[in-house]
Amino acid sequence: RQAFKELLESTVYKFIIINLFIIIFKGSAEKTIPLLSRIVTPLRLVLRSKSKDLFEAGLNALQQLSNCVGSDLNEYLPLLIV
């Protein structure tokens, strides 16, 4: 049961990361900034993952997000620090 739960969580996190990249790469800062409040919570979950791969993917997503929106991400940083 625990293995199934971990697999399900891993799949959900991967889905979140992939969709986050799609939002960032398709859009621009103007399209992404209004979504920040909705992106932060799932991204925080990914960054808290025990999986090294998921954590690294989340960290990469955070870097790309920061590159996209710049200082507009600053107000959300306290929520992302894990």
Side-chain angles (χ1 to χ4, degrees):
R1 181 177 170 138
Q2 181 65 24
F4 178 74
K5 181 180 176 186
E6 289 174 6
L7 176 63
L8 180 61
E9 287 176 353
S10 174
T11 303
V12 169
Y13 293 153
K14 287 178 185 176
F15 176 78
I16 290 167
I17 292 169
I18 290 168
N19 281 305
L20 178 59
F21 279 124
I22 290 170
I23 290 168
I24 293 169
F25 292 133
K26 274 190 167 183
S28 61
E30 294 81 30
K31 291 181 180 178
T32 307
I33 290 169
L35 301 174
L36 284 175
S37 64
R38 295 173 56 192
I39 292 171
V40 169
T41 300
L43 186 54
R44 179 180 167 86
L45 291 174
V46 171
L47 291 171
R48 294 184 66 205
S49 173
K50 293 179 183 178
S51 164
K52 180 182 176 188
D53 292 337
L54 286 176
F55 175 79
E56 288 176 356
L59 202 54
N60 190 19
L62 179 57
Q63 182 180 16
Q64 297 299 322
L65 182 61
S66 177
N67 290 341
C68 179
V69 301
S71 63
D72 286 289
L73 185 60
N74 290 352
E75 69 180 275
Y76 298 97
L77 289 179
L79 301 172
L80 289 169
I81 295 174
V82 292

